[in-house]
Each structure stands twice: as C-alpha cells, then as structure tokens.
Amino acid sequence: LGSAGRPQLSYRGALQRRCSAELPLVPPPSEDVQPRRRIPALLASALGGAACALLGAPRSRAAAARAKTVLVDLEAGKEQRLLEDEEVRLLRELQARFVLFDTRRKAFVGLPELLRPGGALYAADVVCIGELHDAEADHVTQRLLLDAIIYVFFLELRRSDGIDPNAPQGRTAQNQSPQRVALGLEYFSRQQQPVLDDFIFGGTPKGVQDFRTACDWDNVWSYDWALHAPLFRFCQLNLTRIVGLNLPYEAAKIVSEGGLEALPSWFRATLPDVDLTQTAHRLRFEAMLKMPMETAIPSATADLAENTRSPNPALDKIYQAQVLWDEYMADTAVRYLDANGGRFVLFAGAAHAWRDAIPDRVERQARTAGRRLKAVSIVPWHGGEGTAGDLAGFPKGADFLLPMAGPGGGDELVAAAEAQRERLRGKPRVFPAGFL
C-alpha cells in the first residue's frame, strides 16, 4: 500500500487478474459421472447399526465396468467392510450428547432436538458456525456438527429412496440429491473454486499436502495447517463440496486502506449492497479489536444500552472491509443455494457468525432477490463454566452459543473425539470414526 494511503496499482491489477478466472457455482459432477470414491456418507445408523466404508470406486461408469477390483483408500481402510462398528456407534453417542444454548429460550438444547424435522438446524438453509481461528476445540466441534448435519440428511435421502441406511450403496449420491450439504469456508476466495472442486471431485486423487500447495494455503490463509487439514480430508472422503466464500485478498487490502470508494468501479459493480448502519455490529467489532470476545461482547452491549460510546472514525475503512467480508460471504452462500439447492453449512471467524454479520445479510439479500432463506448462527463461547446461569444474561446476538465448558460442552466432546482419533490412527476404521 502506498505511503499516502492510496492502494498501489499492483493490487488493482492482481484483483482484475484473479477475478477474471471466476466461475459460476454450478454442481461439479455431471450426470454421467459418479464420484471416484463412493462413500455412503456416515453409514452407521443413529443407534450404531452396521456401517460400511467403500472407498475408491472408479470415477466414470465406463471405468466401473472395466474395473476388476475396487480401489481402496489407504487411510480409511484396506477392504470393504460391512459390520457392527463400535467406534461409529461411540461417535453417534458423542454427537447425541452435544448441547447448544438457545439465547431466545435461555435454555440448553440437545443437538438431536435441533436436527429433528422442524428443529432450528434442520429447518435452516444456512447454518453459520463461528470459530476462533487458532482454537483447536472450535475446529473439532465444527467438524462434529458438520458430520451430524450431513448424516441427518443422508438418512432422509435413504428413506426417500426406500433403501436401508446401512446398505453399502444407495440409489442416489447425496451430493447429487436435494439432501446435499455443502460447506462454505472463509479461508478461501470464490475465485479459488476450481482448485477446491478439483480436490474433492478431480479425476486424480490428491493428498491433503498436495491441496495445501494447490490452494496456496501459506499465503492465502496461513493459520495452522494442522488444525484445518482434518476438515479437508473429511470433505474429500465424504465428497462434501467445499465452497470458497471470501472476496479476493487484494480487494480487502484496498478497502482497509482506502475505503469502499477506492475499489475499481468494475469490481464495485459486482458487489452486493453493503449495509454499514448496524450500530451493535460496529461496537462489537471495535470492542473485539481490543479485547477477547468473552469480554468484548458484554462491553459492547453495555455501550449500546447506555449510549455511552460512538464509533471511532479512525476505524471507518477497516470496518468497511469487515462488513464487505460479511456481505460478500453472504452473497456467495445465496448464489450457491440459488444454483444448487440443498443445505449450506458455513465456517467463519466468530466475528462473522453473529446474527447481524453473515446470517442476517443472507436473509436480507435473499429477500431482495425475491427468495426466502433461513440462516442460523452458532458462536463458540469459551468464558465461564458453561452453565445456564452464566449464559442466561447473554445478549441475543447469536441464535445459539456453543459453550466449551460444562457437560455436553465443546471441551468434553473434543477430548472424546481426539481420543478416538488417536486410538484409530494408522488403523483400518469405518468412516467417519477417527476422521473428526
């Protein structure tokens, strides 16, 4: 960035080059192509019935007809197995203990209740789950929630097809059905979609380290790779589409230095409306720049209630970049659902997961386009002891809090999931046990 506060021309040029490669978010697998690893997603029944991991089926029907043997994924198992799997049953029991704090009802709610028909997570088109980027517990709980959501709709697909959930192969691949679940990630830009699709659906299997290089992780995101690699592996094995949510890095740099007006006109014309009028959002953003989230939220709430603090004008441009992130990621989610349907789970930093960040903007953008979408927000909470008393006074800035402390909280579930992962490391296992 120039010393006079003007974005350097190189950022504008890089932005134009990056955006020239943008592709529409259409379903990647065509009708005559089957997934190269036909994995019956999360095959144990809710009570731990028979599970099967069939990995490595050839990608095309022609190749399948020619194949003499089934290619086997070396990490997930050495052979096709159909059995009563204790580890998958333990994983399902672990997810059944998961609790979230409903900020409207001021009470804890179990994950099974939220995922029943009519439950908040079942009914949502978009489930936005926040994270502290460097907190391992947040990443593990996100994977547990993602897996549980995918599994619920897998069971629904099997019921609609009239097929036993424990059968090794169904009539319809989940990622080609109305019960598809995609995962949107803040870590990647929309312009990286071809790289993401190639990792999940490409004809040549790729390891996660190959993906690290292909997506330019160390430059694009650069947070601890070890915290994120299990998620990418899970999505690859389960054929869960990863969608790049974010705007190009160069655009964020231009706005944070020069404001929205500094963006080239051709790029501004592609953007959704940017709502900068949300006072609670602004005060929370400023507070979180100075202190941990668990301290910032009560502080910002008190400032708003008492009308004791005005936004800091010196932070206007940085705040514009933050809101542009929210609007752009919401726009990506809406575009994806318009093109593909199904459900959309979204992982982003906790600051983006509050209702007035991405979720409300998803709903507003959809309404503007004449469409109705329901978004739900889940924010991790590391403060206090995780009791209802601790959380009851929390402002309704999120639909649900994910307490890390207390029974059924994130810390307890993470310890059990990590123990399973270590127990199964290097051993044959039935997906998804040992992958979360």
Side-chain angles (χ1 to χ4, degrees):
L1 294 174
S3 59
R6 288 199 310 267
Q8 290 181 349
L9 293 179
S10 59
Y11 279 118
R12 291 172 176 265
L15 178 62
Q16 189 162 15
R17 288 191 298 274
R18 190 182 299 276
C19 290
S20 67
E22 184 169 346
L23 298 176
L25 287 170
V26 296
S30 64
E31 292 182 0
D32 63 344
V33 174
Q34 296 181 357
R36 58 182 164 81
R37 291 178 300 276
R38 181 170 293 281
I39 303 170
L42 319 182
L43 285 179
S45 73
L47 299 177
C52 170
L54 174 58
L55 306 173
R59 189 169 190 262
S60 67
R61 291 195 179 105
R66 293 193 301 268
K68 301 289 186 180
T69 60
V70 174
L71 299 177
V72 177
D73 185 283
L74 297 178
E75 184 175 350
K78 297 294 189 288
E79 58 185 7
Q80 179 181 350
R81 299 185 296 146
L82 185 61
L83 46 83
E84 293 286 334
D85 188 73
E86 180 71 12
E87 293 289 353
V88 174
R89 184 181 65 81
L90 290 174
L91 179 60
R92 296 290 168 236
E93 291 176 352
L94 180 66
Q95 289 167 322
R97 300 206 308 267
F98 215 123
V99 294
L100 299 175
F101 185 79
D102 186 326
T103 62
R104 180 180 58 84
R105 294 162 54 183
K106 304 296 183 185
F108 287 108
V109 186
L111 184 59
E113 178 180 342
L114 295 170
L115 285 173
R116 292 191 189 109
L121 300 188
Y122 180 93
D125 301 289
V126 178
V127 179
C128 185
I129 308 174
E131 66 183 57
L132 301 181
H133 296 313
D134 57 357
E136 183 174 11
D138 291 10
H139 292 285
V140 176
T141 51
Q142 282 178 326
R143 294 196 296 268
L144 287 166
L145 284 168
L146 172 65
D147 173 76
I149 292 169
I150 292 172
Y151 180 58
V152 161
F153 290 106
F154 164 75
L155 291 178
E156 184 176 277
L157 172 62
R158 283 299 178 91
R159 285 192 295 268
S160 68
D161 278 352
I163 296 175
D164 187 333
N166 301 312
Q169 186 167 313
R171 182 176 297 124
T172 308
Q174 186 174 9
N175 65 7
Q176 295 177 326
S177 76
Q179 289 82 14
R180 64 168 58 89
V181 179
L183 175 65
L185 295 178
E186 178 191 6
Y187 326 143
F188 305 114
S189 73
R190 192 187 294 172
Q191 292 71 28
Q192 291 178 280
Q193 196 60 47
V195 174
L196 306 180
D197 285 340
D198 185 58
F199 175 63
I200 302 296
F201 302 107
T204 303
K206 294 177 176 62
V208 289
Q209 288 299 326
D210 297 325
F211 177 60
R212 180 178 186 173
T213 300
C215 72
D216 197 21
W217 177 266
D218 297 306
N219 292 313
V220 168
W221 192 242
S222 77
Y223 281 92
D224 188 350
W225 172 256
L227 296 181
H228 298 78
L231 173 65
F232 306 144
R233 181 62 170 153
F234 170 86
C235 291
Q236 186 186 45
L237 290 176
N238 199 53
L239 293 172
T240 297
R241 192 178 190 192
I242 296 174
V243 176
L245 289 175
N246 221 328
L247 78 165
Y249 165 81
E250 296 86 357
K253 292 290 288 184
I254 290 171
V255 175
S256 64
E257 183 70 16
L260 289 166
E261 292 304 313
L263 285 168
S265 58
W266 64 264
F267 186 73
R268 286 204 308 273
T270 69
L271 298 177
D273 290 339
V274 178
D275 180 6
L276 299 169
T277 66
Q278 304 300 313
T279 304
H281 183 272
R282 174 67 181 259
L283 294 179
R284 185 190 313 116
F285 167 76
E286 292 190 11
M288 289 179 65
L289 291 177
K290 298 184 292 186
M291 58 190 82
M293 182 173 69
E294 289 75 18
T295 306
I297 302 309
S299 173
T301 303
D303 288 340
L304 182 67
E306 299 168 9
N307 196 24
T308 56
R309 188 164 64 85
S310 299
N312 180 358
L315 297 175
D316 282 353
K317 293 171 184 176
I318 297 175
Y319 179 66
Q320 289 176 21
Q322 176 78 9
V323 176
L324 179 57
W325 270 330
D326 289 339
E327 296 283 11
Y328 196 90
M329 289 192 281
D331 180 59
T332 304
V334 172
R335 287 175 182 237
Y336 171 85
L337 289 169
D338 281 344
N340 300 274
R343 263 74 170 186
F344 198 79
V345 178
L346 189 156
F347 291 175
H352 298 293
W354 302 98
R355 275 231 58 96
D356 53 11
I358 292 177
D360 281 349
R361 297 171 201 271
V362 165
E363 295 180 357
R364 188 203 77 228
Q365 290 180 19
R367 284 195 305 272
T368 300
R371 176 162 188 203
R372 184 174 180 178
L373 292 177
K374 176 61 179 173
V376 170
S377 64
I378 301 174
V379 175
W381 193 253
H382 292 263
E385 298 179 0
T387 66
D390 282 342
L391 302 171
F394 189 85
K396 191 175 174 284
D399 295 308
F400 299 96
L401 296 179
L402 198 170
M404 290 299 163
D411 291 340
E412 175 186 302
L413 303 180
V414 167
E418 289 183 338
Q420 181 182 73
R421 192 175 179 87
E422 284 303 312
R423 188 165 60 247
L424 297 177
R425 188 178 299 278
K427 299 177 181 178
R429 67 261 204 194
V430 175
F431 185 85
F435 289 93
L436 300 179

